[in-house]
Amino acid sequence: MLSYHEAIKNPLSSAYLICSEDEYLTHSLLQNLNQRSSPQPDDIATFQYDDSTTWGEIKNTCLSLPFFYQKNFIILKKPKLLQVKYKAFQKELENLLPELPNFSTLICLIDPPTNKRTLANSPLGKAFQKNGQIVYIDKVRYYNLDWWLQAELQKHHKKLQSEARDYLIFYLSLMPAISLGFLAQEIAKLALFTNNQFISKEDLMASFSAVPAISQFAITEYLGEKNSVKSFLCLKELRQNHVSELNIFIVIQSYLHKIWQIKIYQQERLSPTEIAQKLHLPPFIVKKELQKVQGFSLTSLYKLIDICAELDYKLKTGTAHYVDIDKLVLTICQTA
């Protein structure tokens, strides 16, 4: 079973079973396979099929020599292919794989199974391992994003200064989910924002300040400092930018959880480097947050987390009011 990195470098196969947790990387891998299949895009006939397509049509396309093209590129989107109800389809697919001609590439896109071993040990998985490749694309997390950031910045001939990189990773660590497609767009805008090859923290903050999805993390800076004036000004700006109360709450809750973890590790006498390793955060950020957590006792952090649990329930049941977020911000800033 190959990772994304291995799949884009491995020799081409005639069949791929791709289980992906990230749509952006799936699209990127398909582009890579398509481009490597033929240097001339006009030489490839691309077909996209889903659950509404009959098996006969799929098989016929795979085995038929393409007219006016050098190669067939068949993408079969069948998310639930591993389910029992598709057993007959799986069997047909297993029988087809050894017969695939060299002018056809068949790619099956499915939902990731709960257990990778289940897929690898299934008859379908073994058929793909024997006659093609299985690719598993994991969801990208903030702590394993460096490779993607470097590649994306290279496209624009840019580099992040270490402090800018640390701040970006920290902000991303507070996001419940990272959209690489969205992040790629913002990096492209950031590249246009400055003429310098090296992007500074100031460039990063100035460029991203107008992006609600990222600017909302600025409030964590002020909350950590217990600066109520700047916190409420930031809160006002977020609401003017139509950032939802739920999104604002998620960021605040995530930040409180992070500094609670840091406080616990600090009391266990772990070094900043050890804490950084445990939380997958840049050491610079951990040292900075260690200074801020001095203003919070462990007891007060537990109380804040309890308040968040109650507010989380209110937000999810539609009984919360924007004043509840205001109260939470004020409570954090007044916490001893």
Side-chain angles (χ1 to χ4, degrees):
M1 194 175 295
L2 305 177
S3 67
Y4 171 85
H5 303 284
E6 293 168 331
I8 61 175
K9 295 175 182 177
N10 251 35
L12 291 169
S13 294
S14 58
Y16 290 87
L17 183 62
I18 300 177
C19 315
S20 178
E21 295 183 38
D22 192 287
E23 189 176 340
Y24 183 89
L25 290 182
T26 303
H27 180 69
S28 177
L29 176 57
L30 291 176
Q31 280 187 321
N32 173 277
L33 297 176
N34 190 299
Q35 290 167 1
R36 287 200 292 147
S37 295
S38 175
Q40 300 297 326
D42 294 340
D43 288 342
I44 297 179
T46 302
F47 302 88
Q48 295 204 32
Y49 296 135
D50 55 25
D51 281 334
S52 63
T53 314
T54 65
W55 170 250
E57 187 176 349
I58 296 167
K59 183 177 181 180
N60 185 55
T61 304
C62 291
L63 301 179
S64 299
L65 190 69
F67 289 106
F68 309 114
Y69 297 97
Q70 299 296 316
K71 201 166 184 64
N72 290 323
F73 199 73
I74 303 113
I75 301 171
L76 174 59
K77 294 182 179 180
K78 219 163 178 65
K80 309 300 180 186
L81 180 60
L82 296 180
Q83 291 184 357
V84 176
K85 66 178 181 178
Y86 290 111
K87 198 148 191 172
F89 189 99
Q90 291 176 25
K91 192 63 181 175
E92 295 279 12
L93 193 52
E94 291 166 29
N95 294 334
L96 173 66
L97 294 181
E99 301 175 15
L100 280 174
N102 57 12
F103 55 75
S104 287
T105 299
L106 175 63
I107 299 173
C108 291
L109 304 178
I110 67 170
D111 286 343
T114 52
N115 190 320
K116 292 181 183 180
R117 289 184 180 179
T118 303
L119 173 63
N121 295 329
S122 68
L124 183 64
K126 290 177 180 177
F128 268 96
Q129 286 178 321
K130 183 178 179 181
N131 301 286
Q133 298 180 26
I134 300 178
V135 184
Y136 197 101
I137 301 176
D138 288 300
K139 188 177 284 294
V140 174
R141 310 290 183 184
Y142 67 91
Y143 49 81
N144 62 7
L145 191 65
D146 257 344
W147 66 271
W148 183 87
L149 270 178
Q150 297 297 334
E152 203 63 30
L153 287 163
Q154 282 176 10
K155 292 180 186 177
H156 306 284
H157 310 290
K158 299 286 184 180
K159 293 181 180 179
L160 280 174
Q161 289 182 357
S162 59
E163 191 179 14
R165 179 251 177 215
D166 287 346
Y167 268 90
L168 180 58
I169 294 296
F170 179 62
Y171 289 150
L172 293 175
S173 76
L174 299 176
M175 295 179 75
I178 299 174
S179 167
L180 292 185
F182 166 77
L183 199 53
Q185 290 178 349
E186 295 311 315
I187 287 175
K189 293 177 189 175
L190 178 60
L192 296 172
F193 183 82
T194 176
N195 292 323
N196 299 325
Q197 182 187 3
F198 289 89
I199 296 170
S200 66
K201 173 197 165 188
E202 289 69 30
D203 291 332
L204 182 76
M205 301 286 276
S207 175
F208 282 4
S209 63
V211 183
I214 294 178
S215 64
Q216 57 191 309
F217 300 115
I219 197 171
T220 62
E221 285 281 307
Y222 308 131
L223 289 175
E225 296 166 359
K226 297 187 180 179
N227 189 323
S228 59
V229 175
K230 287 188 176 180
S231 293
F232 278 106
L233 284 173
C234 189
L235 193 57
K236 180 182 177 182
E237 185 179 336
L238 289 171
R239 285 167 174 160
Q240 287 173 343
N241 287 330
H242 307 294
V243 178
S244 72
E245 299 296 311
L246 179 59
N247 282 346
I248 295 171
F249 168 72
I250 288 172
V251 170
I252 295 174
Q253 183 185 43
S254 179
Y255 179 68
L256 287 174
H257 185 69
K258 277 276 190 302
I259 62 173
W260 169 71
Q261 287 179 304
I262 290 172
K263 188 74 176 180
I264 287 176
Y265 289 138
Q266 182 192 44
Q267 292 200 346
E268 291 177 358
R269 300 187 181 279
L270 268 65
S271 69
T273 303
E274 290 172 321
I275 296 173
Q277 288 173 345
K278 282 187 173 291
L279 298 180
H280 303 286
L281 287 173
F284 165 78
I285 292 294
V286 170
K287 288 177 183 177
K288 180 170 169 289
E289 293 304 317
L290 277 168
Q291 294 174 357
K292 292 181 182 178
V293 299
Q294 300 300 330
F296 295 89
S297 68
L298 199 54
T299 303
S300 66
L301 285 171
Y302 277 123
K303 288 179 180 177
L304 288 171
I305 289 171
D306 284 341
I307 293 171
C308 283
E310 292 178 16
L311 186 48
D312 181 57
Y313 176 77
K314 283 185 177 182
L315 284 162
K316 288 176 179 175
T317 56
T319 57
H321 191 271
Y322 74 88
V323 173
D324 292 318
I325 299 289
D326 293 348
K327 287 180 180 177
L328 175 61
V329 169
L330 188 60
T331 303
I332 293 170
C333 293
Q334 293 179 341
T335 296

